[in-house]
Amino acid sequence: MPKSRKINSSLSRFSSILRDPPDAPMGIICSTGKAAESDESDKDVEDLNSQPSHSHALPALHPDMTLNTGDLRSLQRHRRKAPTHFRFPFQDEMAARTRASASTQEALAAQIVAHMRAEDEAIFNGQGLSSSQHFLHIRDLLPQTRLFQVAGMVPKGAHLHLHFNSTLLPGVLLGYAKDMTNMFIWSDCKLLNENDFKNCKIEFNLRDLDQVWGEMRQRATEFQDEPMLMQLKDAESTSEPAAQVRAYDTLGPNIFSSSHQQHEGQDRCEQEMRYQYFRDCWNEEAWGDCDTWLISKLTFSKEEGDAFFADADEHHIGFGAEFNAELEASPVNATPTNPEQSPVNDMNPAGFNEQVWKVETARNIATSNNKRSRNSARNAWDAFNGRTRMMKGLFNYETAFRRYTRECLEEFVKDNVQYAEIRPNFMQTNQILYNDAKSKIDNFGTMALIIEEYENFMIHIGDMSEDGTVIDGENHRPTFSGMKVIYCTPRSFNRNAVRKALDECIAMKKKWPQYIAGFDLVGEEAFEKPHPLQFFEEDFRNFRVQCLAENLDIPFLFHCGETPDDLEGNLETALRLGSKRIGHGYALPEKTDVLRDMKSQNICVETCPISNMVLGLAEHMDEHSVYRLLEEKMHCAVSSDNGTLFQSTLSHDFYEIMAGHRNINLYGWKQLAWWSIEHSCLSAEERIRTEREWERRWQDFIDALTETSTPGSQLATISQLEKVAEKVSASRLAKIQRPGREGHARKRVKL
């Protein structure tokens, strides 16, 4: 049968399903002409039946609630929200544009994807699960599903929100560390029993071996340990380098031994040992595989995720006794303090008083309906911060940084990402070490490393000439369209440090105008972590004035709204400052006026579904606020945030977007990918080139789906889909896997 007849026949068979969405099973495409019905009613703490389904207004605040009130918590305990009856008209509009181009083939592909999703439910049901449950519960099942295989094939456009040091799967950085003679591992306790291995905190640090050995001699001298001094002298006289390292290993601390001599007053150094020696001493028979254990320390488990929410039911948001006393004593309309009295002039000259902000925010939290979500998020962030400390030392040295950058670019290609805006952290206190750990590479040197690795990669895959010119043309199919850097620095810094970061961002933009995408502040934003965006608002306005004066385009791309309700006020500040995009924006539906204004200003939300689940904001994907945004046709771009810690890729986040709500379909994926390119920081010329290639890839994707499947019983198997994915990506993967050219000199970036 000719393909056109096959397509029309299949569409005809499913026309009745499209006309009758209320009875469609989970996963079937529903007409967005009216909302699909849910099997359950949506219950909340208060009866919201009187409000329209699209109302995102904050519930009324109860005047008698205090910081220690348990009424709301008890009402919320074990509450399970049902999927809300959202409509997604943006998908209808995308489908209409597709029909206008006579793409019945794409309509068939949408039917195929819907039926794959419906068939996948049996896999979850067999485990007592559903596809919309928390990511950590279903993560290991996803490779068995057709929908995840298809998500891997989707052309994803631009990846706009990813923290550069936590992009690849966790084994990558651990693998690099094995090769470093001077990599050290530290534990906050000796590893002697099962509880020690379960509860210890781990960190990695690249150390200057001469300094480490010098510290050993200094300690032995300080404590007049003559036997140790003699042994250290023997180790120092060993001529063969590897033998010398081993000699010092046996004289230094051993995390696995309780008998190692410890002098009074020693702490951290006694729990630190060279990583290669640590692996040599590892007892695999007793403790299992070393890499598996380390990955478990670096990533989140489903049991841990469950505990974040369970503990949230048992604990209240609370502040220290000193702060609570201050809260009672401070009037909300307190007079702002004198800027000269504040350290490093941290008082905002425009009138923002952080002390008053703290009092107002604490009182608002006291009467909030979201205390449970704030508790679960706080629990998750405590664990998250420990993991980032563990990972920091694995990443911040030259060899790892270079190799990671290259592998990150390769991963973008494998995951069918065309363009990326990465977020490395720039700060004076955490710069990249040279491999011997004797000195550091400053922020400009770090930026140069990124550009060097990127340009050498682009030359290698044939998308850039030796002189740095991007290759373009109607007949050229680019493997990767580009990468830029969002300058990030911590929001916990004081104003002087952030001013210096803003100045450095401008300097980098002048030096590398094509590579600096924008500016962002990163870090936990929930009260009472420092600082809200308002704290730096005057500095940001001065930055904007300077950029305009020097004709520099450096948009703000602020993290904000990564809380249940944004009582901190970061969304409003980002709106006032004209942020081009916002990171996460989870709380945006709770502020309908802000949502309306952001939508009117064409601001895009970088939504991070898996991150928001793991970090305690959504217990199940069907509770995620992104669906409320999409119902309002708020532009969103799907992102992975910190995939290393979640053991996820961007394909996993695309999967979650569709799996979490029965009314999201193939056209939703298509629009989200398109929006990601539309709201990127690409130049007009770069964007045209990227969109042209994306449209080609999308058609390749549709062709592959419809060639191997029809709706119903003729769906492709997992193995067939894997083969299709290999076929579609073959030409791209061949370019990244080909050997380097003989005699080709690596390109270097001048500082």
Side-chain angles (χ1 to χ4, degrees), residues 140-303:
D140 295 340
L141 290 176
L142 297 192
Q144 303 174 35
T145 68
R146 291 181 174 93
L147 186 61
F148 180 66
Q149 297 298 327
V150 174
M153 297 164 58
V154 170
K156 299 173 183 66
H159 196 170
L160 301 180
H161 190 114
L162 66 158
H163 294 275
F164 191 46
N165 63 343
S166 53
T167 299
L168 300 176
L169 294 178
V172 174
L173 286 172
L174 290 168
Y176 300 161
K178 295 176 188 178
D179 299 332
M180 301 302 294
T181 302
N182 57 333
M183 178 62 73
F184 283 73
I185 184 171
W186 171 86
S187 168
D188 66 342
C189 66
K190 296 283 188 179
L191 302 181
L192 306 176
N193 56 51
E194 185 176 349
N195 282 336
D196 294 336
F197 282 90
K198 179 180 179 181
N199 299 321
C200 68
K201 296 177 182 176
I202 296 294
E203 293 179 18
F204 287 86
N205 289 284
L206 199 73
R207 299 288 307 277
D208 175 358
L209 287 178
D210 291 332
Q211 181 181 357
V212 172
W213 298 338
E215 290 170 356
M216 292 171 67
R217 289 190 294 272
Q218 182 179 350
R219 288 194 297 272
T221 301
E222 182 180 347
F223 292 99
Q224 300 179 1
D225 190 341
E226 293 299 330
M228 175 61 75
L229 285 169
M230 290 296 295
Q231 294 176 79
L232 288 170
K233 186 175 182 180
D234 291 341
E236 186 178 3
S237 64
T238 304
S239 58
E240 203 274 315
Q244 184 182 50
V245 170
R246 288 193 296 271
Y248 276 108
D249 283 342
T250 59
L251 298 175
N254 188 325
I255 293 174
F256 305 113
S257 173
S258 61
S259 61
H260 184 81
Q261 181 180 0
Q262 181 166 327
H263 299 118
E264 183 180 353
Q266 288 182 238
D267 43 31
R268 181 183 178 95
C269 59
E270 283 301 308
Q271 320 300 342
E272 185 178 57
M273 62 191 293
R274 204 171 60 84
Y275 181 48
Q276 290 176 344
Y277 182 48
F278 173 92
R279 297 186 68 89
D280 290 342
C281 295
W282 181 270
N283 186 338
E284 186 167 333
E285 184 176 340
W287 307 321
D289 180 68
C290 182
D291 289 335
T292 301
W293 177 74
L294 286 169
I295 289 173
S296 75
K297 301 297 292 184
L298 188 59
T299 58
F300 290 87
S301 67
K302 63 181 180 182
E303 293 79 13

Side-chain angles (χ1 to χ4, degrees), residues 134 136-137 139 198 200 295-312 376 379-387 613-616 645-647:
H134 194 289
L136 296 177
H137 277 269
R139 178 180 60 200
K198 179 180 179 181
C200 68
I295 289 173
S296 75
K297 301 297 292 184
L298 188 59
T299 58
F300 290 87
S301 67
K302 63 181 180 182
E303 293 79 13
E304 190 176 19
D306 289 344
F308 297 152
F309 293 98
D311 291 347
S376 58
N379 295 337
W381 270 92
D382 287 345
F384 176 84
N385 288 333
R387 285 173 167 84
M613 279 190 280
V614 176
L615 293 185
L645 306 183
F646 315 141
Q647 298 188 73

